[in-house]
Amino acid sequence: MSAMLLHLASYAPNARVVTMFLHEKALELPLREITHGQNREPAFVRMNPMGQIPVLEFPDGFCLSENVAICEYLEAQNPDPPLIGADDRERAETRMWARRLDLNICEHLANITRFGLAEDYFRSHILVVPEIIPGLAAMVEDRLRWLDLQMGDGRTFVCGERFTLADILLFCFLDFADTRVKPVEPGLTRVTGWLERVRARPSAVATRPRYPDQAAS
Amino acid sequence: MSAMLLHLASYAPNARVVTMFLHEKALELPLREITHGQNREPAFVRMNPMGQIPVLEFPDGFCLSENVAICEYLEAQNPDPPLIGADDRERAETRMWARRLDLNICEHLANITRFGLAEDYFRSHILVVPEIIPGLAAMVEDRLRWLDLQMGDGRTFVCGERFTLADILLFCFLDFADTRVKPVEPGLTRVTGWLERVRARPSAVATRPRYPDQAAS
Protein backbone atom coordinates (compact mmCIF):
# COMPACT_ATOMS: atom_id res chain seq x y z
CA MET A 1 0.00 0.00 0.00
CA SER A 2 2.68 2.49 0.98
CA ALA A 3 4.32 2.30 -2.43
CA MET A 4 1.12 3.66 -3.93
CA LEU A 5 0.41 7.33 -4.41
CA LEU A 6 -3.01 8.96 -4.20
CA HIS A 7 -3.32 12.06 -6.37
CA LEU A 8 -6.10 14.35 -5.21
CA ALA A 9 -7.40 17.83 -4.47
CA SER A 10 -8.31 17.19 -0.88
CA TYR A 11 -11.23 19.67 -0.76
CA ALA A 12 -13.07 18.06 -3.69
CA PRO A 13 -15.99 15.74 -2.80
CA ASN A 14 -14.74 13.07 -5.23
CA ALA A 15 -11.42 12.97 -3.38
CA ARG A 16 -12.95 13.14 0.06
CA VAL A 17 -14.86 9.92 -0.65
CA VAL A 18 -11.52 8.14 -0.78
CA THR A 19 -9.82 9.95 2.12
CA MET A 20 -12.84 9.42 4.37
CA PHE A 21 -12.94 5.76 3.33
CA LEU A 22 -9.23 5.45 4.17
CA HIS A 23 -9.80 7.09 7.55
CA GLU A 24 -12.63 4.68 8.40
CA LYS A 25 -10.26 1.82 7.52
CA ALA A 26 -7.45 3.36 9.58
CA LEU A 27 -5.28 3.25 6.47
CA GLU A 28 -2.82 5.82 5.27
CA LEU A 29 -1.53 6.44 1.79
CA PRO A 30 1.05 8.92 0.53
CA LEU A 31 -0.92 11.85 -0.91
CA ARG A 32 -0.04 14.24 -3.69
CA GLU A 33 -2.06 17.42 -3.77
CA ILE A 34 -2.92 18.46 -7.33
CA THR A 35 -3.16 22.19 -7.91
CA HIS A 36 -5.93 23.90 -9.84
CA GLY A 37 -5.56 23.01 -13.50
CA GLN A 38 -2.68 20.59 -13.04
CA ASN A 39 -5.17 17.76 -13.56
CA ARG A 40 -5.70 18.92 -17.14
CA GLU A 41 -2.01 18.89 -18.04
CA PRO A 42 -0.55 16.06 -20.16
CA ALA A 43 1.28 14.39 -17.25
CA PHE A 44 -1.98 14.02 -15.36
CA VAL A 45 -4.16 13.13 -18.34
CA ARG A 46 -1.81 10.24 -19.04
CA MET A 47 -2.84 8.89 -15.62
CA ASN A 48 -6.55 9.60 -16.07
CA PRO A 49 -7.76 10.59 -19.54
CA MET A 50 -10.87 12.05 -17.85
CA GLY A 51 -8.60 14.66 -16.23
CA GLN A 52 -10.26 14.05 -12.86
CA ILE A 53 -9.00 13.42 -9.38
CA PRO A 54 -8.66 11.20 -7.41
CA VAL A 55 -6.18 8.84 -9.06
CA LEU A 56 -4.51 5.95 -7.28
CA GLU A 57 -1.11 5.32 -8.87
CA PHE A 58 0.37 1.85 -8.47
CA PRO A 59 4.14 1.19 -8.22
CA ASP A 60 4.19 -0.28 -11.74
CA GLY A 61 2.46 2.73 -13.26
CA PHE A 62 -1.09 1.38 -13.44
CA CYS A 63 -3.48 4.20 -12.56
CA LEU A 64 -6.93 3.73 -11.09
CA SER A 65 -9.51 6.48 -11.09
CA GLU A 66 -13.22 6.82 -10.14
CA ASN A 67 -13.79 7.09 -6.39
CA VAL A 68 -16.02 4.00 -6.07
CA ALA A 69 -13.56 1.81 -8.01
CA ILE A 70 -10.70 3.00 -5.78
CA CYS A 71 -12.69 2.25 -2.62
CA GLU A 72 -13.64 -1.21 -3.93
CA TYR A 73 -9.95 -1.94 -4.50
CA LEU A 74 -8.97 -0.69 -1.05
CA GLU A 75 -11.66 -2.86 0.55
CA ALA A 76 -10.61 -5.95 -1.42
CA GLN A 77 -7.05 -5.49 -0.19
CA ASN A 78 -8.06 -4.45 3.36
CA PRO A 79 -11.36 -6.14 4.23
CA ASP A 80 -11.67 -4.89 7.83
CA PRO A 81 -13.69 -3.08 8.90
CA PRO A 82 -16.05 -3.83 6.01
CA LEU A 83 -17.41 -0.64 4.46
CA ILE A 84 -18.83 -2.34 1.40
CA GLY A 85 -19.73 -5.61 3.03
CA ALA A 86 -18.62 -8.73 4.84
CA ASP A 87 -20.29 -11.11 2.36
CA ASP A 88 -21.72 -11.13 -1.15
CA ARG A 89 -25.20 -10.11 -0.01
CA GLU A 90 -24.00 -7.15 2.06
CA ARG A 91 -21.76 -6.02 -0.78
CA ALA A 92 -24.71 -6.29 -3.16
CA GLU A 93 -26.88 -4.11 -0.95
CA THR A 94 -24.16 -1.46 -0.57
CA ARG A 95 -23.53 -1.39 -4.33
CA MET A 96 -27.25 -1.07 -5.03
CA TRP A 97 -27.50 1.94 -2.74
CA ALA A 98 -24.23 3.49 -3.89
CA ARG A 99 -25.37 3.37 -7.51
CA ARG A 100 -28.82 4.77 -6.72
CA LEU A 101 -27.25 7.69 -4.88
CA ASP A 102 -24.49 8.18 -7.45
CA LEU A 103 -26.83 8.36 -10.43
CA ASN A 104 -29.70 10.21 -8.78
CA ILE A 105 -28.02 12.64 -6.42
CA CYS A 106 -24.20 12.76 -6.28
CA GLU A 107 -23.41 13.11 -9.98
CA HIS A 108 -26.15 15.72 -10.42
CA LEU A 109 -24.66 17.69 -7.52
CA ALA A 110 -21.21 17.36 -9.12
CA ASN A 111 -22.52 18.68 -12.44
CA ILE A 112 -24.43 21.51 -10.75
CA THR A 113 -21.07 22.60 -9.31
CA ARG A 114 -19.10 22.08 -12.52
CA PHE A 115 -21.61 24.14 -14.52
CA GLY A 116 -22.33 26.67 -11.76
CA LEU A 117 -20.11 27.57 -8.80
CA ALA A 118 -16.98 26.30 -10.57
CA GLU A 119 -17.99 27.10 -14.14
CA ASP A 120 -15.15 29.58 -14.71
CA TYR A 121 -12.67 26.82 -14.07
CA PHE A 122 -14.47 23.98 -15.84
CA ARG A 123 -15.46 25.94 -18.94
CA SER A 124 -11.90 25.87 -20.25
CA HIS A 125 -11.55 22.12 -19.67
CA ILE A 126 -14.84 20.35 -20.31
CA LEU A 127 -18.17 20.90 -22.01
CA VAL A 128 -20.36 22.85 -19.58
CA VAL A 129 -24.13 23.12 -19.98
CA PRO A 130 -25.26 25.58 -17.28
CA GLU A 131 -28.77 25.62 -18.75
CA ILE A 132 -29.49 22.18 -17.27
CA ILE A 133 -28.74 23.23 -13.68
CA PRO A 134 -32.40 23.95 -12.77
CA GLY A 135 -33.45 20.54 -14.13
CA LEU A 136 -30.67 18.75 -12.26
CA ALA A 137 -31.52 20.64 -9.06
CA ALA A 138 -35.19 19.64 -9.39
CA MET A 139 -34.16 15.99 -9.78
CA VAL A 140 -31.92 16.17 -6.70
CA GLU A 141 -34.70 17.71 -4.60
CA ASP A 142 -37.13 15.07 -5.78
CA ARG A 143 -34.69 12.27 -4.94
CA LEU A 144 -33.82 13.70 -1.54
CA ARG A 145 -37.52 13.73 -0.68
CA TRP A 146 -37.70 10.11 -1.84
CA LEU A 147 -34.66 9.22 0.28
CA ASP A 148 -36.20 10.92 3.30
CA LEU A 149 -39.28 8.72 2.89
CA GLN A 150 -37.12 5.59 2.62
CA MET A 151 -35.38 6.53 5.86
CA GLY A 152 -38.74 6.76 7.60
CA ASP A 153 -38.23 3.21 8.84
CA GLY A 154 -35.84 4.58 11.43
CA ARG A 155 -32.63 3.30 9.89
CA THR A 156 -29.41 4.89 11.13
CA PHE A 157 -27.56 4.71 7.82
CA VAL A 158 -28.45 4.22 4.17
CA CYS A 159 -28.15 0.42 4.36
CA GLY A 160 -29.68 0.16 7.84
CA GLU A 161 -27.37 -0.17 10.84
CA ARG A 162 -24.21 -0.67 8.78
CA PHE A 163 -22.16 2.44 7.95
CA THR A 164 -21.03 1.90 4.35
CA LEU A 165 -19.51 3.35 1.22
CA ALA A 166 -23.04 4.44 0.25
CA ASP A 167 -23.09 6.81 3.25
CA ILE A 168 -19.61 8.11 2.51
CA LEU A 169 -20.48 8.77 -1.13
CA LEU A 170 -23.69 10.63 -0.36
CA PHE A 171 -22.17 12.47 2.57
CA CYS A 172 -19.22 13.95 0.70
CA PHE A 173 -21.44 15.40 -2.00
CA LEU A 174 -24.35 16.44 0.21
CA ASP A 175 -22.08 18.05 2.80
CA PHE A 176 -20.49 20.05 -0.02
CA ALA A 177 -23.84 21.07 -1.50
CA ASP A 178 -25.35 21.85 1.90
CA THR A 179 -22.39 24.05 2.84
CA ARG A 180 -21.51 25.64 -0.47
CA VAL A 181 -24.46 25.48 -2.85
CA LYS A 182 -27.83 25.19 -1.15
CA PRO A 183 -28.75 23.88 2.30
CA VAL A 184 -30.76 20.68 2.38
CA GLU A 185 -34.47 21.45 2.90
CA PRO A 186 -34.90 21.47 6.74
CA GLY A 187 -38.20 19.57 6.43
CA LEU A 188 -36.27 16.48 5.32
CA THR A 189 -35.56 15.64 8.92
CA ARG A 190 -34.35 12.09 8.36
CA VAL A 191 -31.83 13.24 5.77
CA THR A 192 -30.67 16.21 7.83
CA GLY A 193 -30.46 13.99 10.93
CA TRP A 194 -28.36 11.49 8.97
CA LEU A 195 -26.17 14.35 7.67
CA GLU A 196 -25.44 15.53 11.22
CA ARG A 197 -24.79 11.96 12.37
CA VAL A 198 -22.21 11.39 9.66
CA ARG A 199 -20.72 14.87 10.12
CA ALA A 200 -19.90 13.93 13.72
CA ARG A 201 -17.84 10.89 12.74
CA PRO A 202 -14.07 11.25 13.24
CA SER A 203 -13.55 10.40 9.55
CA ALA A 204 -15.76 13.35 8.54
CA VAL A 205 -14.08 15.72 10.98
CA ALA A 206 -10.61 14.64 9.85
CA THR A 207 -11.43 15.18 6.17
CA ARG A 208 -13.41 18.40 6.57
CA PRO A 209 -12.53 20.39 3.45
CA ARG A 210 -10.77 23.71 3.44
CA TYR A 211 -11.63 25.34 0.13
CA PRO A 212 -9.03 27.22 -1.90
CA ASP A 213 -11.09 30.42 -1.66
CA GLN A 214 -11.30 30.24 2.15
CA ALA A 215 -8.91 32.18 4.33
CA ALA A 216 -6.74 29.94 6.48
CA SER A 217 -8.40 29.55 9.86
CA MET B 1 -29.56 -19.66 -8.25
CA SER B 2 -32.66 -21.40 -9.60
CA ALA B 3 -34.73 -20.43 -6.57
CA MET B 4 -34.18 -16.80 -7.45
CA LEU B 5 -36.48 -14.81 -9.68
CA LEU B 6 -35.42 -12.00 -12.00
CA HIS B 7 -38.14 -9.42 -12.55
CA LEU B 8 -37.62 -7.45 -15.75
CA ALA B 9 -39.01 -5.88 -18.89
CA SER B 10 -36.76 -7.71 -21.30
CA TYR B 11 -36.66 -4.93 -23.94
CA ALA B 12 -35.35 -2.31 -21.50
CA PRO B 13 -31.60 -1.55 -21.62
CA ASN B 14 -31.31 -1.77 -17.82
CA ALA B 15 -32.69 -5.31 -17.91
CA ARG B 16 -30.70 -6.35 -20.96
CA VAL B 17 -27.47 -5.58 -19.08
CA VAL B 18 -28.36 -8.46 -16.74
CA THR B 19 -29.73 -10.91 -19.32
CA MET B 20 -26.70 -10.36 -21.57
CA PHE B 21 -24.42 -10.82 -18.58
CA LEU B 22 -26.23 -14.08 -17.71
CA HIS B 23 -25.89 -15.28 -21.30
CA GLU B 24 -22.14 -14.60 -21.33
CA LYS B 25 -21.92 -16.63 -18.10
CA ALA B 26 -24.06 -19.43 -19.58
CA LEU B 27 -26.38 -19.00 -16.58
CA GLU B 28 -30.14 -19.16 -16.56
CA LEU B 29 -32.56 -17.64 -14.08
CA PRO B 30 -36.33 -17.85 -13.91
CA LEU B 31 -37.65 -14.62 -15.43
CA ARG B 32 -40.83 -12.71 -14.70
CA GLU B 33 -41.83 -10.20 -17.34
CA ILE B 34 -43.22 -7.00 -15.80
CA THR B 35 -45.88 -5.28 -17.85
CA HIS B 36 -46.01 -1.55 -18.52
CA GLY B 37 -46.83 0.23 -15.27
CA GLN B 38 -46.77 -2.89 -13.08
CA ASN B 39 -43.40 -1.70 -11.76
CA ARG B 40 -45.10 1.32 -10.18
CA GLU B 41 -47.69 -0.74 -8.29
CA PRO B 42 -47.31 -1.35 -4.52
CA ALA B 43 -46.33 -5.02 -4.89
CA PHE B 44 -43.39 -4.04 -7.07
CA VAL B 45 -42.41 -0.90 -5.17
CA ARG B 46 -42.07 -3.05 -2.06
CA MET B 47 -39.32 -4.93 -3.93
CA ASN B 48 -37.65 -1.80 -5.32
CA PRO B 49 -38.74 1.58 -3.95
CA MET B 50 -37.26 3.15 -7.08
CA GLY B 51 -39.96 1.36 -9.09
CA GLN B 52 -37.38 0.22 -11.62
CA ILE B 53 -36.55 -3.08 -13.24
CA PRO B 54 -34.54 -5.27 -13.09
CA VAL B 55 -34.98 -6.74 -9.62
CA LEU B 56 -33.39 -9.99 -8.46
CA GLU B 57 -35.63 -11.56 -5.81
CA PHE B 58 -33.97 -13.99 -3.40
CA PRO B 59 -35.77 -17.00 -1.89
CA ASP B 60 -35.96 -15.29 1.52
CA GLY B 61 -37.50 -12.14 0.09
CA PHE B 62 -34.40 -9.95 -0.13
CA CYS B 63 -34.58 -7.92 -3.32
CA LEU B 64 -31.60 -6.58 -5.20
CA SER B 65 -31.92 -3.87 -7.82
CA GLU B 66 -29.52 -1.76 -9.94
CA ASN B 67 -28.09 -3.63 -12.92
CA VAL B 68 -24.42 -3.27 -11.94
CA ALA B 69 -25.06 -4.49 -8.37
CA ILE B 70 -26.94 -7.53 -9.71
CA CYS B 71 -24.10 -8.37 -12.13
CA GLU B 72 -21.53 -7.99 -9.34
CA TYR B 73 -23.50 -10.45 -7.23
CA LEU B 74 -23.83 -12.93 -10.10
CA GLU B 75 -20.08 -12.75 -10.75
CA ALA B 76 -19.23 -13.24 -7.07
CA GLN B 77 -21.36 -16.38 -7.02
CA ASN B 78 -20.27 -17.56 -10.48
CA PRO B 79 -16.73 -16.36 -11.15
CA ASP B 80 -16.21 -18.01 -14.55
CA PRO B 81 -15.86 -16.68 -17.12
CA PRO B 82 -14.81 -13.43 -15.44
CA LEU B 83 -16.73 -10.46 -16.82
CA ILE B 84 -15.67 -8.07 -14.08
CA GLY B 85 -12.25 -9.54 -13.47
CA ALA B 86 -10.15 -12.47 -12.37
CA ASP B 87 -8.27 -10.50 -9.70
CA ASP B 88 -8.54 -7.25 -7.73
CA ARG B 89 -6.71 -5.21 -10.32
CA GLU B 90 -8.83 -6.42 -13.24
CA ARG B 91 -11.98 -5.82 -11.23
CA ALA B 92 -10.76 -2.33 -10.39
CA GLU B 93 -10.19 -1.50 -14.05
CA THR B 94 -13.63 -2.78 -15.06
CA ARG B 95 -15.35 -0.83 -12.28
CA MET B 96 -13.47 2.32 -13.24
CA TRP B 97 -14.67 2.03 -16.82
CA ALA B 98 -18.18 0.96 -15.91
CA ARG B 99 -18.62 4.02 -13.69
CA ARG B 100 -17.16 6.39 -16.27
CA LEU B 101 -19.58 5.06 -18.88
CA ASP B 102 -22.52 4.91 -16.47
CA LEU B 103 -22.20 8.52 -15.29
CA ASN B 104 -21.15 10.09 -18.56
CA ILE B 105 -23.10 8.19 -21.19
CA CYS B 106 -25.53 5.46 -20.08
CA GLU B 107 -27.52 7.35 -17.45
CA HIS B 108 -27.79 10.40 -19.71
CA LEU B 109 -29.14 8.15 -22.48
CA ALA B 110 -31.60 6.64 -20.01
CA ASN B 111 -32.82 10.09 -18.95
CA ILE B 112 -33.06 11.28 -22.56
CA THR B 113 -35.44 8.35 -23.13
CA ARG B 114 -37.38 8.83 -19.88
CA PHE B 115 -37.94 12.52 -20.64
CA GLY B 116 -38.35 12.09 -24.41
CA LEU B 117 -39.36 8.95 -26.31
CA ALA B 118 -41.03 7.45 -23.20
CA GLU B 119 -42.14 10.70 -21.56
CA ASP B 120 -45.86 9.86 -21.78
CA TYR B 121 -45.25 6.81 -19.65
CA PHE B 122 -42.74 8.27 -17.21
CA ARG B 123 -44.54 11.58 -16.64
CA SER B 124 -47.15 9.87 -14.47
CA HIS B 125 -44.53 8.04 -12.38
CA ILE B 126 -41.44 10.20 -11.92
CA LEU B 127 -40.33 13.80 -12.21
CA VAL B 128 -39.51 14.42 -15.89
CA VAL B 129 -37.47 17.42 -17.05
CA PRO B 130 -37.59 17.30 -20.86
CA GLU B 131 -35.93 20.72 -21.05
CA ILE B 132 -32.55 19.19 -20.14
CA ILE B 133 -32.55 16.71 -23.06
CA PRO B 134 -30.46 18.94 -25.38
CA GLY B 135 -27.87 19.44 -22.63
CA LEU B 136 -27.70 15.73 -21.86
CA ALA B 137 -27.43 14.92 -25.58
CA ALA B 138 -24.55 17.38 -25.95
CA MET B 139 -22.74 15.71 -23.04
CA VAL B 140 -23.24 12.25 -24.54
CA GLU B 141 -21.88 13.37 -27.92
CA ASP B 142 -18.90 14.98 -26.23
CA ARG B 143 -18.16 11.82 -24.22
CA LEU B 144 -18.58 9.52 -27.20
CA ARG B 145 -16.00 11.59 -29.09
CA TRP B 146 -13.73 11.27 -26.05
CA LEU B 147 -14.28 7.50 -25.94
CA ASP B 148 -13.51 7.23 -29.64
CA LEU B 149 -10.16 8.94 -29.00
CA GLN B 150 -9.40 6.58 -26.11
CA MET B 151 -10.06 3.61 -28.36
CA GLY B 152 -7.53 4.95 -30.86
CA ASP B 153 -4.93 2.65 -29.33
CA GLY B 154 -6.52 -0.23 -31.20
CA ARG B 155 -8.15 -1.92 -28.22
CA THR B 156 -10.87 -4.45 -29.01
CA PHE B 157 -13.02 -3.72 -25.97
CA VAL B 158 -13.34 -0.94 -23.42
CA CYS B 159 -10.79 -2.51 -21.05
CA GLY B 160 -8.48 -3.74 -23.81
CA GLU B 161 -8.68 -7.34 -24.93
CA ARG B 162 -11.02 -8.43 -22.11
CA PHE B 163 -14.76 -8.34 -22.79
CA THR B 164 -16.29 -7.02 -19.56
CA LEU B 165 -19.32 -5.65 -17.79
CA ALA B 166 -18.21 -2.19 -18.99
CA ASP B 167 -18.83 -3.29 -22.59
CA ILE B 168 -22.18 -4.85 -21.72
CA LEU B 169 -23.32 -1.72 -19.90
CA LEU B 170 -22.36 0.65 -22.68
CA PHE B 171 -23.61 -1.69 -25.38
CA CYS B 172 -27.14 -2.09 -24.01
CA PHE B 173 -27.68 1.66 -23.80
CA LEU B 174 -25.84 2.63 -26.97
CA ASP B 175 -27.53 -0.08 -29.04
CA PHE B 176 -30.88 1.23 -27.80
CA ALA B 177 -29.99 4.86 -28.55
CA ASP B 178 -28.45 4.02 -31.92
CA THR B 179 -31.53 2.05 -32.97
CA ARG B 180 -34.34 4.04 -31.37
CA VAL B 181 -33.18 7.57 -30.61
CA LYS B 182 -30.28 8.79 -32.75
CA PRO B 183 -27.63 6.82 -34.64
CA VAL B 184 -24.09 7.13 -33.35
CA GLU B 185 -22.13 9.65 -35.43
CA PRO B 186 -20.59 7.56 -38.27
CA GLY B 187 -17.29 9.46 -37.97
CA LEU B 188 -16.69 7.81 -34.59
CA THR B 189 -15.33 4.74 -36.33
CA ARG B 190 -13.78 3.12 -33.26
CA VAL B 191 -17.05 3.35 -31.35
CA THR B 192 -19.17 2.18 -34.28
CA GLY B 193 -16.70 -0.64 -34.97
CA TRP B 194 -16.91 -1.70 -31.33
CA LEU B 195 -20.72 -1.49 -31.48
CA GLU B 196 -20.81 -3.87 -34.48
CA ARG B 197 -18.33 -6.22 -32.80
CA VAL B 198 -20.44 -6.48 -29.66
CA ARG B 199 -23.67 -6.70 -31.69
CA ALA B 200 -22.31 -9.85 -33.33
CA ARG B 201 -21.81 -11.67 -30.03
CA PRO B 202 -24.22 -14.53 -29.34
CA SER B 203 -25.21 -12.82 -26.05
CA ALA B 204 -26.24 -9.68 -27.95
CA VAL B 205 -28.14 -11.64 -30.60
CA ALA B 206 -29.92 -13.73 -27.95
CA THR B 207 -31.03 -10.64 -26.01
CA ARG B 208 -31.93 -8.46 -28.98
CA PRO B 209 -34.92 -6.46 -27.75
CA ARG B 210 -38.37 -6.60 -29.23
CA TYR B 211 -40.09 -3.38 -28.25
CA PRO B 212 -43.73 -3.32 -27.16
CA ASP B 213 -44.60 -0.98 -30.04
CA GLN B 214 -43.10 -3.29 -32.66
CA ALA B 215 -45.29 -5.72 -34.57
CA ALA B 216 -44.36 -9.34 -33.91
CA SER B 217 -41.95 -10.47 -36.60
Side-chain angles (χ1 to χ4, degrees):
Chain A
M1 290 280 295
S2 63
M4 290 183 166
L5 183 58
L6 182 64
H7 303 258
L8 81 177
S10 51
Y11 58 86
N14 265 323
R16 191 185 188 188
V17 171
V18 178
T19 54
M20 193 167 159
F21 192 90
L22 285 167
H23 195 281
E24 291 278 348
K25 291 266 187 194
L27 291 174
E28 288 197 30
L29 277 180
L31 306 180
R32 177 174 168 244
E33 197 76 25
I34 298 294
T35 57
H36 219 56
Q38 204 175 1
N39 55 312
R40 305 291 169 174
E41 292 173 0
F44 190 93
V45 173
R46 272 194 294 275
M47 296 196 299
N48 178 8
M50 293 283 291
Q52 292 176 332
I53 53 90
V55 170
L56 182 61
E57 185 182 1
F58 288 57
D60 68 354
F62 174 69
C63 287
L64 180 61
S65 50
E66 300 297 322
N67 56 27
V68 168
I70 294 173
C71 293
E72 285 269 9
Y73 181 84
L74 293 171
E75 172 118 341
Q77 296 277 312
N78 308 275
D80 292 311
L83 294 172
I84 297 174
D87 57 35
D88 288 345
R89 170 101 63 118
E90 280 191 2
R91 285 188 281 273
E93 187 188 39
T94 304
R95 288 170 182 147
M96 170 179 74
W97 271 103
R99 189 168 185 269
R100 278 178 182 160
L101 299 171
D102 226 2
L103 297 185
N104 289 282
I105 298 176
C106 302
E107 183 65 6
H108 294 335
L109 290 175
N111 281 330
I112 287 170
T113 300
R114 289 173 189 137
F115 308 157
L117 185 67
E119 189 199 347
D120 284 348
Y121 167 68
F122 280 102
R123 181 172 286 286
S124 52
H125 298 300
I126 62 167
L127 174 73
V128 294
V129 281
E131 65 274 19
I132 76 171
I133 290 178
L136 296 181
M139 289 164 78
V140 168
E141 284 185 25
D142 181 74
R143 290 313 184 183
L144 284 175
R145 280 195 295 274
W146 173 87
L147 179 63
D148 199 71
L149 279 176
Q150 302 310 311
M151 297 187 84
D153 59 7
R155 72 185 78 174
T156 308
F157 299 113
V158 169
C159 291
E161 297 314 301
R162 293 190 294 135
F163 180 78
T164 69
L165 174 61
D167 296 287
I168 294 176
L169 190 62
L170 180 63
F171 173 75
C172 293
F173 285 89
L174 205 55
D175 184 50
F176 178 87
D178 184 63
T179 313
R180 302 273 295 180
V181 184
K182 194 187 166 197
V184 175
E185 212 181 293
L188 304 183
T189 54
R190 288 89 161 229
V191 171
T192 55
W194 166 89
L195 190 57
E196 291 312 320
R197 238 174 355 260
V198 181
R199 241 176 217 152
R201 294 179 79 86
S203 63
V205 175
T207 58
R208 204 169 140 228
R210 178 170 302 164
Y211 301 104
D213 56 356
Q214 279 176 331
S217 63
Chain B
M1 290 282 293
S2 64
M4 292 182 164
L5 182 59
L6 183 64
H7 302 259
L8 80 179
S10 51
Y11 58 86
N14 266 323
R16 192 186 188 188
V17 171
V18 178
T19 53
M20 195 167 157
F21 193 89
L22 284 167
H23 195 281
E24 292 277 348
K25 290 269 188 194
L27 292 173
E28 287 196 31
L29 277 180
L31 306 180
R32 175 173 169 245
E33 197 77 26
I34 298 293
T35 58
H36 219 55
Q38 205 176 1
N39 55 311
R40 304 292 168 174
E41 293 173 359
F44 189 94
V45 173
R46 272 193 294 275
M47 295 196 299
N48 178 8
M50 293 284 291
Q52 292 176 333
I53 53 89
V55 170
L56 183 61
E57 185 183 2
F58 287 56
D60 68 356
F62 174 70
C63 287
L64 180 61
S65 49
E66 299 298 322
N67 56 26
V68 168
I70 295 173
C71 292
E72 286 268 8
Y73 182 83
L74 294 172
E75 173 118 339
Q77 296 278 313
N78 308 274
D80 292 311
L83 293 171
I84 298 174
D87 58 35
D88 289 345
R89 170 105 56 121
E90 279 191 4
R91 284 188 282 273
E93 186 188 42
T94 304
R95 288 169 182 148
M96 169 178 75
W97 271 103
R99 188 167 184 271
R100 279 178 182 161
L101 299 171
D102 227 0
L103 296 186
N104 290 282
I105 297 176
C106 301
E107 183 66 5
H108 294 334
L109 290 175
N111 281 330
I112 287 170
T113 300
R114 289 173 190 137
F115 307 156
L117 184 66
E119 189 199 346
D120 285 347
Y121 166 68
F122 280 101
R123 181 171 285 285
S124 51
H125 299 299
I126 62 167
L127 174 73
V128 294
V129 280
E131 65 274 20
I132 76 170
I133 291 178
L136 297 181
M139 288 164 78
V140 168
E141 285 186 25
D142 182 72
R143 290 312 184 182
L144 284 175
R145 280 194 295 273
W146 174 86
L147 180 62
D148 199 71
L149 279 176
Q150 302 310 313
M151 298 188 84
D153 59 7
R155 72 185 78 174
T156 308
F157 299 113
V158 169
C159 291
E161 297 314 301
R162 292 189 297 135
F163 180 78
T164 69
L165 174 60
D167 296 288
I168 293 176
L169 190 63
L170 180 63
F171 174 75
C172 293
F173 285 89
L174 206 55
D175 185 49
F176 178 87
D178 184 63
T179 313
R180 303 273 296 180
V181 184
K182 193 186 166 200
V184 176
E185 211 181 293
L188 303 183
T189 53
R190 288 91 161 225
V191 172
T192 56
W194 166 90
L195 190 58
E196 291 313 319
R197 240 175 352 262
V198 181
R199 239 175 218 153
R201 293 179 80 86
S203 63
V205 175
T207 58
R208 207 171 137 226
R210 176 171 303 165
Y211 301 104
D213 57 354
Q214 279 177 332
S217 62

